[in-house]
Amino acid sequence: MSIQDKVAIVTGAASGIGKEIATVFFQNGAKIVIADLNLEAAQAAASELDPSGARAIAVAMDVTNEEQVDAGIAAAASKLGGIDILVSNAGIQIVAPVDAFDFGNWKKMLAIHLDGAFLTTRACLKLMYGQKRGGSVIYMGSVHSKEASVLKAPYVTAKHGLIGLCKTVAKEGAAHGVRANVICPGFVRTPLVEKQIPEQARELGITEDQVIKNVMLKETVDGEFTTVDDVAQTALFLASFPSNALTGQSIVVSHGWFMQ
Ligand code: NAD
């Protein structure tokens, strides 16, 4: 099981979970494409990995923009020698109750999580099928791919939807040796979650400490946050798994918050 010299594109890899996946993949011998809306941060992350730019590059990409996704993935593939692994990870969070949810924010959430996953998958599958050396597609789901929480309607809807996309890609990709799986993390203390703590405290009328203890970590077996490394090690396992035996699955990494 190895990802040595495989080319991996990770979306949203300028920060948080995606950045750690890019780092762990790089340390395990992969060539890395850091695709992010924030080009400056993506460039900094890529040059932290490989200042020469030979084995880690940054690509400016809004995953909801068809032209940017197609052009960015084509350019990255021609620089690094194709694409073997896609980690569709870029995401945001917007919280509000359903009865007051702004339609524009609903559409923005579905676009980033679902259109982004579809567009990057389509561009990478075309390359993977043509290269005839298989591939691995990993979607960043969430415990919210399996469970609901108040205030998170579009996030829960989109994260559930990724499981459907994954299962379809697993069926279509099998003939080409392309596997697809979903990782479903519990709460990880990235900028995405730091932003939510005061927002949820305000919406629910409780303290920030209560949000952490009684909302985010209440159902875990040990009151602990999941870490970026927990998620990156799971991604490494999925990316390096050698056969179609492990495809169409969703793996929950959440300190027991959700048990299948
Ligand atoms: P983060 O905010 O640290 O990083 C997200 C990255 O995505 C940022 O670099 C941002 O610039 C980029 N991004 C945002 N919109 C984009 C777009 N349209 N196109 C390209 N890039 C874009 O967040 P994170 O916590 O690392 O989240 C990464 C993924 O993990 C998300 O899909 C999130 O839903 C999922 N997730 C996070 C947690 C958690 O607790 N942090 C738990 C489960 C799942």
Side-chain angles (χ1 to χ4, degrees):
M1 298 213 334
S2 165
I3 57 168
Q4 184 67 42
D5 294 326
K6 302 277 190 204
V7 181
I9 179 161
V10 187
T11 68
S15 173
I17 291 171
K19 188 173 182 190
E20 184 67 13
I21 291 173
T23 304
V24 167
F25 281 15
F26 181 81
Q27 288 162 349
N28 280 270
K31 295 189 256 181
I32 305 296
V33 185
I34 296 192
D36 205 286
L37 196 57
N38 183 341
L39 180 60
E40 209 176 308
Q43 281 169 335
S47 76
E48 251 174 59
L49 295 180
D50 179 11
S52 82
R55 297 185 67 86
I57 61 170
V59 173
M61 184 188 292
D62 176 348
V63 295
T64 69
N65 181 305
E66 185 176 13
E67 289 76 33
Q68 282 182 29
V69 169
D70 287 347
I73 289 177
S78 84
K79 260 192 204 149
L80 294 184
I83 300 284
D84 300 290
I85 300 160
L86 163 66
V87 183
S88 170
N89 166 80
I92 62 164
Q93 180 63 280
I94 301 174
V95 294
V98 179
D99 57 297
F101 218 100
D102 176 75
F103 189 35
N105 281 341
W106 166 271
K107 287 195 269 199
K108 185 173 172 188
M109 287 291 292
L110 296 196
I112 294 174
H113 291 274
L114 290 179
D115 296 358
F118 161 69
L119 289 171
T120 51
T121 299
R122 188 181 64 177
C124 288
L125 285 184
K126 279 183 194 159
L127 288 165
M128 288 171 181
Y129 291 176
Q131 290 162 187
K132 300 194 189 309
R133 56 185 202 226
S136 174
V137 178
I138 298 170
Y139 297 103
M140 197 52 61
S142 164
V143 164
H144 289 111
S145 300
K146 311 271 180 182
E147 269 284 0
S149 291
V150 296
L151 309 178
K152 296 189 175 174
Y155 190 82
V156 170
T157 303
K159 293 299 192 189
H160 275 67
L162 288 177
I163 291 186
L165 175 62
C166 164
K167 288 178 177 175
T168 310
V169 173
K171 291 202 170 190
E172 291 184 7
H176 305 273
V178 174
R179 298 171 298 104
N181 293 286
V182 184
I183 302 176
C184 302
F187 280 100
V188 184
R189 279 199 100 150
T190 65
L192 179 141
V193 161
E194 295 297 344
K195 179 173 163 282
Q196 270 177 70
I197 296 170
E199 286 173 357
Q200 290 216 28
R202 239 186 346 266
E203 287 279 354
L204 298 171
I206 56 178
T207 67
E208 294 191 13
D209 200 46
Q210 286 169 326
V211 170
I212 293 172
K213 287 209 177 87
N214 301 341
V215 179
M216 294 184 164
L217 304 179
K218 184 167 178 237
E219 303 294 336
T220 62
V221 294
D222 52 10
E224 298 277 345
F225 278 99
T226 301
T227 68
V228 288
D229 194 54
D230 295 330
V231 182
Q233 295 301 333
T234 308
L236 177 62
F237 168 69
L238 288 174
S240 55
F241 198 83
S243 81
N244 277 345
L246 185 49
T247 195
Q249 304 304 308
S250 43
I251 299 185
V252 182
V253 186
S254 70
H255 284 256
W257 166 12
F258 182 84
M259 298 191 191
Q260 313 244 25

